[in-house]
Short mmCIF file of all heavy atoms in Angstrom, two decimals:
data_model
loop_
_atom_site.label_atom_id
_atom_site.label_comp_id
_atom_site.label_asym_id
_atom_site.label_seq_id
_atom_site.Cartn_x
_atom_site.Cartn_y
_atom_site.Cartn_z
N MET A 1 72.55 100.87 40.96
CA MET A 1 71.86 101.47 39.83
C MET A 1 72.91 101.91 38.81
O MET A 1 73.84 102.63 39.14
CB MET A 1 71.05 102.66 40.33
CG MET A 1 70.36 103.46 39.28
SD MET A 1 68.92 102.59 38.70
CE MET A 1 68.64 103.34 37.16
N ASP A 2 72.75 101.46 37.60
CA ASP A 2 73.67 101.81 36.52
C ASP A 2 73.46 103.29 36.14
O ASP A 2 72.35 103.70 35.79
CB ASP A 2 73.39 100.92 35.32
CG ASP A 2 74.39 101.10 34.20
OD1 ASP A 2 75.12 102.12 34.18
OD2 ASP A 2 74.44 100.23 33.32
N HIS A 3 74.51 104.08 36.23
CA HIS A 3 74.41 105.52 35.94
C HIS A 3 74.05 105.79 34.48
O HIS A 3 73.41 106.79 34.19
CB HIS A 3 75.71 106.23 36.33
CG HIS A 3 75.91 106.25 37.80
ND1 HIS A 3 75.22 107.09 38.63
CD2 HIS A 3 76.72 105.52 38.61
CE1 HIS A 3 75.59 106.88 39.88
NE2 HIS A 3 76.48 105.92 39.89
N ARG A 4 74.42 104.90 33.59
CA ARG A 4 74.03 105.08 32.18
C ARG A 4 72.53 104.95 32.01
O ARG A 4 71.91 105.70 31.26
CB ARG A 4 74.76 104.08 31.29
CG ARG A 4 76.27 104.32 31.24
CD ARG A 4 76.95 103.24 30.47
NE ARG A 4 76.81 102.01 31.29
CZ ARG A 4 77.19 100.82 30.91
NH1 ARG A 4 77.71 100.64 29.72
NH2 ARG A 4 77.04 99.78 31.69
N LEU A 5 71.93 104.00 32.73
CA LEU A 5 70.49 103.84 32.68
C LEU A 5 69.79 105.06 33.28
O LEU A 5 68.80 105.54 32.74
CB LEU A 5 70.06 102.57 33.44
CG LEU A 5 68.57 102.30 33.50
CD1 LEU A 5 67.98 102.12 32.11
CD2 LEU A 5 68.29 101.08 34.36
N LEU A 6 70.33 105.58 34.36
CA LEU A 6 69.74 106.75 35.01
C LEU A 6 69.75 107.97 34.09
O LEU A 6 68.87 108.82 34.18
CB LEU A 6 70.50 107.04 36.30
CG LEU A 6 69.85 108.00 37.27
CD1 LEU A 6 68.45 107.55 37.65
CD2 LEU A 6 70.71 108.16 38.52
N GLU A 7 70.71 108.05 33.20
CA GLU A 7 70.78 109.17 32.25
C GLU A 7 69.68 109.12 31.20
O GLU A 7 69.23 110.16 30.73
CB GLU A 7 72.14 109.18 31.56
CG GLU A 7 73.28 109.58 32.47
CD GLU A 7 74.62 109.51 31.76
OE1 GLU A 7 74.66 109.38 30.52
OE2 GLU A 7 75.64 109.57 32.46
N ILE A 8 69.20 107.93 30.84
CA ILE A 8 68.21 107.83 29.76
C ILE A 8 66.79 107.55 30.25
O ILE A 8 65.84 107.78 29.52
CB ILE A 8 68.61 106.74 28.73
CG1 ILE A 8 68.70 105.37 29.39
CG2 ILE A 8 69.90 107.11 28.04
CD1 ILE A 8 68.89 104.23 28.41
N ILE A 9 66.65 107.09 31.48
CA ILE A 9 65.33 106.77 32.01
C ILE A 9 64.63 108.07 32.43
O ILE A 9 65.28 109.01 32.86
CB ILE A 9 65.45 105.77 33.18
CG1 ILE A 9 64.16 105.02 33.38
CG2 ILE A 9 65.92 106.42 34.44
CD1 ILE A 9 64.29 103.80 34.25
N ALA A 10 63.32 108.11 32.27
CA ALA A 10 62.57 109.32 32.59
C ALA A 10 61.27 108.97 33.31
O ALA A 10 60.78 107.85 33.24
CB ALA A 10 62.24 110.09 31.31
N CYS A 11 60.73 109.95 34.00
CA CYS A 11 59.45 109.78 34.68
C CYS A 11 58.38 109.48 33.64
O CYS A 11 58.28 110.18 32.62
CB CYS A 11 59.11 111.05 35.44
SG CYS A 11 57.47 111.01 36.20
N PRO A 12 57.56 108.46 33.88
CA PRO A 12 56.53 108.13 32.90
C PRO A 12 55.39 109.16 32.83
O PRO A 12 54.64 109.17 31.87
CB PRO A 12 56.00 106.78 33.39
CG PRO A 12 56.32 106.75 34.83
CD PRO A 12 57.58 107.54 35.00
N LEU A 13 55.29 110.04 33.81
CA LEU A 13 54.23 111.04 33.82
C LEU A 13 54.65 112.35 33.18
O LEU A 13 54.02 112.84 32.25
CB LEU A 13 53.75 111.30 35.25
CG LEU A 13 53.25 110.07 36.00
CD1 LEU A 13 52.93 110.41 37.43
CD2 LEU A 13 52.06 109.48 35.30
N CYS A 14 55.74 112.94 33.69
CA CYS A 14 56.16 114.26 33.20
C CYS A 14 57.34 114.17 32.23
O CYS A 14 57.74 115.18 31.66
CB CYS A 14 56.50 115.18 34.36
SG CYS A 14 58.02 114.73 35.24
N HIS A 15 57.93 112.99 32.10
CA HIS A 15 59.09 112.74 31.25
C HIS A 15 60.33 113.49 31.72
O HIS A 15 61.26 113.71 30.96
CB HIS A 15 58.80 113.07 29.77
CG HIS A 15 57.59 112.36 29.26
ND1 HIS A 15 57.56 111.01 29.04
CD2 HIS A 15 56.35 112.81 28.99
CE1 HIS A 15 56.36 110.66 28.62
NE2 HIS A 15 55.59 111.74 28.60
N GLY A 16 60.31 113.87 32.99
CA GLY A 16 61.45 114.56 33.60
C GLY A 16 62.50 113.59 34.10
O GLY A 16 62.32 112.37 34.11
N LYS A 17 63.59 114.16 34.53
CA LYS A 17 64.73 113.38 35.03
C LYS A 17 64.39 112.75 36.38
O LYS A 17 63.72 113.35 37.22
CB LYS A 17 65.93 114.30 35.18
CG LYS A 17 67.19 113.60 35.55
CD LYS A 17 68.37 114.53 35.51
CE LYS A 17 69.60 113.81 36.01
NZ LYS A 17 70.61 113.67 35.02
N LEU A 18 64.85 111.53 36.57
CA LEU A 18 64.68 110.81 37.83
C LEU A 18 66.03 110.76 38.55
O LEU A 18 67.08 110.70 37.91
CB LEU A 18 64.19 109.39 37.58
CG LEU A 18 62.80 109.26 36.96
CD1 LEU A 18 62.54 107.81 36.56
CD2 LEU A 18 61.73 109.75 37.90
N SER A 19 65.98 110.79 39.86
CA SER A 19 67.19 110.60 40.65
C SER A 19 67.07 109.31 41.44
O SER A 19 65.96 108.84 41.73
CB SER A 19 67.43 111.80 41.57
OG SER A 19 66.34 111.98 42.44
N TYR A 20 68.21 108.75 41.80
CA TYR A 20 68.23 107.46 42.50
C TYR A 20 68.41 107.68 43.99
O TYR A 20 69.34 108.36 44.42
CB TYR A 20 69.36 106.60 41.95
CG TYR A 20 69.46 105.25 42.61
CD1 TYR A 20 68.40 104.37 42.59
CD2 TYR A 20 70.64 104.86 43.24
CE1 TYR A 20 68.50 103.12 43.20
CE2 TYR A 20 70.74 103.62 43.84
CZ TYR A 20 69.67 102.76 43.81
OH TYR A 20 69.76 101.53 44.41
N ASP A 21 67.51 107.12 44.77
CA ASP A 21 67.60 107.14 46.23
C ASP A 21 68.14 105.78 46.65
O ASP A 21 67.38 104.80 46.72
CB ASP A 21 66.23 107.42 46.84
CG ASP A 21 66.25 107.42 48.35
OD1 ASP A 21 67.31 107.16 48.96
OD2 ASP A 21 65.17 107.67 48.94
N LYS A 22 69.43 105.72 46.91
CA LYS A 22 70.08 104.45 47.24
C LYS A 22 69.57 103.88 48.56
O LYS A 22 69.37 102.67 48.67
CB LYS A 22 71.60 104.67 47.31
CG LYS A 22 72.38 103.41 47.51
CD LYS A 22 73.87 103.69 47.46
CE LYS A 22 74.65 102.41 47.59
NZ LYS A 22 76.10 102.64 47.48
N GLU A 23 69.31 104.74 49.54
CA GLU A 23 68.86 104.29 50.86
C GLU A 23 67.55 103.52 50.79
O GLU A 23 67.37 102.50 51.44
CB GLU A 23 68.71 105.49 51.78
CG GLU A 23 68.32 105.13 53.20
CD GLU A 23 68.21 106.36 54.08
OE1 GLU A 23 69.10 107.22 54.01
OE2 GLU A 23 67.22 106.44 54.82
N ASN A 24 66.60 104.03 49.98
CA ASN A 24 65.29 103.40 49.86
C ASN A 24 65.13 102.55 48.60
O ASN A 24 64.08 101.98 48.37
CB ASN A 24 64.19 104.46 49.89
CG ASN A 24 64.13 105.17 51.21
OD1 ASN A 24 64.17 104.54 52.26
ND2 ASN A 24 64.08 106.48 51.18
N SER A 25 66.17 102.51 47.77
CA SER A 25 66.15 101.78 46.51
C SER A 25 64.94 102.17 45.66
O SER A 25 64.09 101.33 45.32
CB SER A 25 66.19 100.27 46.76
OG SER A 25 66.35 99.59 45.54
N GLU A 26 64.86 103.49 45.37
CA GLU A 26 63.75 104.03 44.58
C GLU A 26 64.27 105.05 43.59
O GLU A 26 65.32 105.65 43.80
CB GLU A 26 62.74 104.74 45.50
CG GLU A 26 62.07 103.87 46.50
CD GLU A 26 61.20 104.64 47.47
OE1 GLU A 26 61.60 105.73 47.91
OE2 GLU A 26 60.10 104.14 47.77
N LEU A 27 63.51 105.24 42.53
CA LEU A 27 63.76 106.34 41.60
C LEU A 27 62.80 107.45 41.96
O LEU A 27 61.60 107.22 42.10
CB LEU A 27 63.55 105.88 40.16
CG LEU A 27 64.59 104.92 39.63
CD1 LEU A 27 64.18 104.43 38.25
CD2 LEU A 27 65.97 105.57 39.57
N ILE A 28 63.32 108.66 42.09
CA ILE A 28 62.54 109.80 42.58
C ILE A 28 62.30 110.81 41.46
O ILE A 28 63.24 111.22 40.78
CB ILE A 28 63.29 110.51 43.72
CG1 ILE A 28 63.66 109.54 44.84
CG2 ILE A 28 62.50 111.71 44.25
CD1 ILE A 28 62.51 108.92 45.56
N CYS A 29 61.03 111.20 41.31
CA CYS A 29 60.68 112.31 40.44
C CYS A 29 60.33 113.48 41.36
O CYS A 29 59.31 113.45 42.05
CB CYS A 29 59.48 111.98 39.55
SG CYS A 29 58.98 113.40 38.54
N LYS A 30 61.20 114.47 41.39
CA LYS A 30 60.99 115.60 42.29
C LYS A 30 59.83 116.48 41.84
O LYS A 30 59.14 117.05 42.66
CB LYS A 30 62.27 116.42 42.39
CG LYS A 30 63.36 115.66 43.10
CD LYS A 30 64.63 116.47 43.24
CE LYS A 30 65.68 115.64 43.97
NZ LYS A 30 66.90 116.39 44.20
N PHE A 31 59.59 116.55 40.55
CA PHE A 31 58.50 117.39 40.04
C PHE A 31 57.13 116.84 40.43
O PHE A 31 56.26 117.57 40.91
CB PHE A 31 58.61 117.53 38.52
CG PHE A 31 57.55 118.41 37.93
CD1 PHE A 31 57.64 119.79 38.04
CD2 PHE A 31 56.46 117.87 37.28
CE1 PHE A 31 56.65 120.61 37.51
CE2 PHE A 31 55.46 118.66 36.75
CZ PHE A 31 55.56 120.04 36.87
N ASP A 32 56.94 115.53 40.25
CA ASP A 32 55.65 114.90 40.56
C ASP A 32 55.57 114.41 42.01
O ASP A 32 54.51 113.93 42.43
CB ASP A 32 55.39 113.72 39.62
CG ASP A 32 55.14 114.17 38.20
OD1 ASP A 32 54.45 115.18 38.00
OD2 ASP A 32 55.67 113.50 37.29
N ARG A 33 56.70 114.49 42.73
CA ARG A 33 56.78 114.01 44.12
C ARG A 33 56.37 112.54 44.22
O ARG A 33 55.56 112.16 45.04
CB ARG A 33 55.94 114.89 45.04
CG ARG A 33 56.48 116.29 45.17
CD ARG A 33 55.71 117.19 46.13
NE ARG A 33 55.04 116.49 47.20
CZ ARG A 33 53.74 116.62 47.47
NH1 ARG A 33 52.99 117.41 46.76
NH2 ARG A 33 53.20 115.96 48.48
N LEU A 34 56.99 111.72 43.35
CA LEU A 34 56.72 110.28 43.35
C LEU A 34 58.02 109.51 43.49
O LEU A 34 59.07 109.93 43.00
CB LEU A 34 56.04 109.87 42.05
CG LEU A 34 54.63 110.39 41.82
CD1 LEU A 34 54.15 110.02 40.42
CD2 LEU A 34 53.67 109.86 42.87
N ALA A 35 57.93 108.36 44.15
CA ALA A 35 59.07 107.45 44.30
C ALA A 35 58.67 106.12 43.68
O ALA A 35 57.70 105.49 44.10
CB ALA A 35 59.42 107.28 45.76
N PHE A 36 59.41 105.72 42.67
CA PHE A 36 59.14 104.48 41.96
C PHE A 36 60.04 103.37 42.53
O PHE A 36 61.26 103.53 42.59
CB PHE A 36 59.40 104.64 40.46
CG PHE A 36 58.49 105.65 39.81
CD1 PHE A 36 58.90 106.97 39.64
CD2 PHE A 36 57.23 105.29 39.38
CE1 PHE A 36 58.06 107.91 39.06
CE2 PHE A 36 56.38 106.22 38.79
CZ PHE A 36 56.80 107.53 38.63
N PRO A 37 59.46 102.23 42.90
CA PRO A 37 60.24 101.16 43.53
C PRO A 37 60.99 100.31 42.51
O PRO A 37 60.76 100.40 41.30
CB PRO A 37 59.15 100.32 44.21
CG PRO A 37 57.97 100.46 43.29
CD PRO A 37 58.04 101.90 42.81
N PHE A 38 61.88 99.48 43.04
CA PHE A 38 62.55 98.45 42.25
C PHE A 38 62.01 97.11 42.70
O PHE A 38 61.76 96.90 43.89
CB PHE A 38 64.06 98.47 42.52
CG PHE A 38 64.80 99.53 41.76
CD1 PHE A 38 64.81 100.84 42.19
CD2 PHE A 38 65.49 99.21 40.62
CE1 PHE A 38 65.50 101.81 41.50
CE2 PHE A 38 66.18 100.17 39.91
CZ PHE A 38 66.19 101.47 40.36
N ARG A 39 61.84 96.20 41.76
CA ARG A 39 61.47 94.82 42.08
C ARG A 39 62.42 93.91 41.31
O ARG A 39 62.51 94.00 40.09
CB ARG A 39 60.03 94.53 41.67
CG ARG A 39 59.05 95.29 42.51
CD ARG A 39 57.83 94.49 42.88
NE ARG A 39 56.97 95.33 43.69
CZ ARG A 39 56.02 96.13 43.21
NH1 ARG A 39 55.79 96.18 41.92
NH2 ARG A 39 55.30 96.86 44.02
N ASP A 40 63.11 93.08 42.04
CA ASP A 40 64.10 92.17 41.45
C ASP A 40 65.11 92.93 40.60
O ASP A 40 65.52 92.46 39.53
CB ASP A 40 63.41 91.08 40.62
CG ASP A 40 62.49 90.22 41.46
OD1 ASP A 40 62.85 89.91 42.62
OD2 ASP A 40 61.41 89.85 40.97
N GLY A 41 65.49 94.12 41.05
CA GLY A 41 66.50 94.92 40.36
C GLY A 41 65.98 95.70 39.16
O GLY A 41 66.75 96.32 38.45
N ILE A 42 64.67 95.67 38.92
CA ILE A 42 64.08 96.35 37.77
C ILE A 42 63.18 97.47 38.27
O ILE A 42 62.32 97.25 39.13
CB ILE A 42 63.25 95.36 36.92
CG1 ILE A 42 64.16 94.25 36.41
CG2 ILE A 42 62.56 96.09 35.77
CD1 ILE A 42 63.42 93.10 35.79
N PRO A 43 63.36 98.70 37.74
CA PRO A 43 62.50 99.80 38.18
C PRO A 43 61.07 99.61 37.69
O PRO A 43 60.84 99.27 36.54
CB PRO A 43 63.14 101.05 37.55
CG PRO A 43 64.00 100.56 36.46
CD PRO A 43 64.37 99.14 36.78
N VAL A 44 60.12 99.81 38.59
CA VAL A 44 58.70 99.69 38.26
C VAL A 44 58.18 101.11 38.05
O VAL A 44 57.90 101.83 39.01
CB VAL A 44 57.91 98.99 39.39
CG1 VAL A 44 56.44 98.88 39.02
CG2 VAL A 44 58.50 97.62 39.66
N LEU A 45 58.05 101.52 36.80
CA LEU A 45 57.68 102.90 36.46
C LEU A 45 56.20 103.00 36.14
O LEU A 45 55.81 103.49 35.08
CB LEU A 45 58.54 103.40 35.30
CG LEU A 45 60.04 103.47 35.59
CD1 LEU A 45 60.80 103.88 34.35
CD2 LEU A 45 60.32 104.39 36.75
N LEU A 46 55.39 102.56 37.07
CA LEU A 46 53.94 102.63 36.94
C LEU A 46 53.41 103.58 38.00
O LEU A 46 53.77 103.47 39.18
CB LEU A 46 53.31 101.25 37.12
CG LEU A 46 53.77 100.17 36.13
CD1 LEU A 46 53.22 98.82 36.55
CD2 LEU A 46 53.31 100.53 34.74
N GLU A 47 52.52 104.47 37.59
CA GLU A 47 51.99 105.46 38.52
C GLU A 47 51.29 104.81 39.71
O GLU A 47 51.46 105.25 40.85
CB GLU A 47 51.03 106.40 37.80
CG GLU A 47 50.48 107.49 38.68
CD GLU A 47 49.54 108.42 37.95
OE1 GLU A 47 49.18 108.15 36.79
OE2 GLU A 47 49.14 109.42 38.56
N ASN A 48 50.56 103.74 39.46
CA ASN A 48 49.82 103.10 40.56
C ASN A 48 50.74 102.32 41.50
O ASN A 48 50.30 101.90 42.58
CB ASN A 48 48.70 102.21 40.03
CG ASN A 48 49.20 101.06 39.18
OD1 ASN A 48 50.30 101.10 38.65
ND2 ASN A 48 48.39 100.04 39.05
N GLU A 49 51.99 102.11 41.14
CA GLU A 49 52.95 101.44 42.01
C GLU A 49 53.84 102.44 42.76
O GLU A 49 54.56 102.06 43.67
CB GLU A 49 53.85 100.50 41.19
CG GLU A 49 53.12 99.35 40.55
CD GLU A 49 52.74 98.27 41.54
OE1 GLU A 49 53.45 98.09 42.55
OE2 GLU A 49 51.71 97.61 41.31
N ALA A 50 53.78 103.71 42.36
CA ALA A 50 54.64 104.73 42.95
C ALA A 50 54.12 105.18 44.31
O ALA A 50 52.92 105.13 44.58
CB ALA A 50 54.74 105.93 42.02
N ARG A 51 55.05 105.61 45.13
CA ARG A 51 54.73 106.14 46.45
C ARG A 51 54.79 107.66 46.36
O ARG A 51 55.72 108.23 45.79
CB ARG A 51 55.78 105.61 47.43
CG ARG A 51 55.72 106.15 48.82
CD ARG A 51 56.74 105.44 49.71
NE ARG A 51 58.11 105.80 49.42
CZ ARG A 51 58.75 106.84 49.95
NH1 ARG A 51 58.14 107.65 50.78
NH2 ARG A 51 60.00 107.08 49.64
N VAL A 52 53.77 108.32 46.92
CA VAL A 52 53.75 109.78 46.93
C VAL A 52 54.68 110.25 48.04
O VAL A 52 54.60 109.77 49.18
CB VAL A 52 52.32 110.32 47.16
CG1 VAL A 52 52.32 111.83 47.27
CG2 VAL A 52 51.40 109.86 46.06
N LEU A 53 55.56 111.18 47.69
CA LEU A 53 56.51 111.70 48.66
C LEU A 53 55.92 112.84 49.46
O LEU A 53 55.29 113.73 48.90
CB LEU A 53 57.77 112.20 47.95
CG LEU A 53 58.59 111.17 47.20
CD1 LEU A 53 59.67 111.86 46.41
CD2 LEU A 53 59.18 110.16 48.16
N PRO A 54 56.16 112.83 50.77
CA PRO A 54 55.77 114.00 51.56
C PRO A 54 56.60 115.21 51.11
O PRO A 54 57.71 115.05 50.62
CB PRO A 54 56.13 113.61 53.00
CG PRO A 54 56.46 112.16 52.98
CD PRO A 54 56.74 111.78 51.57
N THR A 55 56.09 116.37 51.29
CA THR A 55 56.78 117.59 50.85
C THR A 55 58.18 117.70 51.40
O THR A 55 59.12 118.00 50.68
CB THR A 55 55.95 118.84 51.23
OG1 THR A 55 54.66 118.70 50.69
CG2 THR A 55 56.59 120.10 50.71
N GLU A 56 58.38 117.41 52.68
CA GLU A 56 59.71 117.57 53.30
C GLU A 56 60.71 116.54 52.80
O GLU A 56 61.89 116.76 52.83
CB GLU A 56 59.63 117.53 54.82
CG GLU A 56 59.15 116.22 55.40
CD GLU A 56 57.64 116.09 55.48
OE1 GLU A 56 56.92 117.03 55.10
OE2 GLU A 56 57.15 115.03 55.90
N GLU A 57 60.27 115.39 52.29
CA GLU A 57 61.17 114.36 51.78
C GLU A 57 61.67 114.71 50.38
O GLU A 57 62.66 114.22 49.91
CB GLU A 57 60.45 113.01 51.74
CG GLU A 57 61.37 111.86 51.40
CD GLU A 57 60.70 110.52 51.49
OE1 GLU A 57 59.68 110.40 52.18
OE2 GLU A 57 61.20 109.57 50.86
N ASN A 58 61.00 115.61 49.71
CA ASN A 58 61.30 115.95 48.32
C ASN A 58 62.20 117.19 48.25
O ASN A 58 61.87 118.16 47.62
CB ASN A 58 59.98 116.19 47.57
CG ASN A 58 60.21 116.47 46.12
OD1 ASN A 58 61.19 116.02 45.55
ND2 ASN A 58 59.33 117.23 45.51
N GLN A 59 63.33 117.15 48.90
CA GLN A 59 64.23 118.31 48.87
C GLN A 59 65.57 117.92 48.36
O GLN A 59 65.98 116.86 48.34
CB GLN A 59 64.35 118.92 50.26
CG GLN A 59 63.03 119.52 50.69
CD GLN A 59 63.14 120.14 52.08
OE1 GLN A 59 64.16 120.10 52.72
NE2 GLN A 59 62.05 120.71 52.50
#
C-alpha cells in the first residue's frame, strides 16, 4: 500500500482516516468499524462491499 495514497484516501461514509491492515489486505475505518477490501490491488470503498469489524478487532 502506497503511504502517499493512504494519506489522502478517506472513509466514504464518515470521511475519516483509514489505516492499512497488511495481514488482511484491507483498509480499516476504526470509527465506523468497517474493513474495505482490495481487488486487483485497488481499494474497494463501497459500503456494501465492506466487512463489519467485531468490537475486539477494532483496537
Side-chain angles (χ1 to χ4, degrees):
M1 175 76 200
D2 186 344
H3 291 285
R4 293 174 292 174
L5 178 61
L6 194 55
E7 289 177 13
I8 61 172
I9 202 166
C11 175
L13 302 175
C14 70
H15 306 289
K17 186 173 175 117
L18 295 171
S19 59
Y20 180 59
D21 179 358
K22 186 175 183 177
E23 183 179 316
N24 295 314
S25 188
E26 297 174 320
L27 290 174
I28 306 295
C29 176
K30 292 181 179 183
F31 182 76
D32 292 319
R33 293 183 28 234
L34 293 174
F36 297 95
F38 279 80
R39 293 220 180 89
D40 298 322
I42 299 169
V44 180
L45 298 176
L46 300 172
E47 183 180 7
N48 63 339
E49 296 285 331
R51 174 175 71 87
V52 176
L53 297 172
T55 305
E56 64 274 359
E57 188 174 338
N58 183 28
Q59 294 180 358

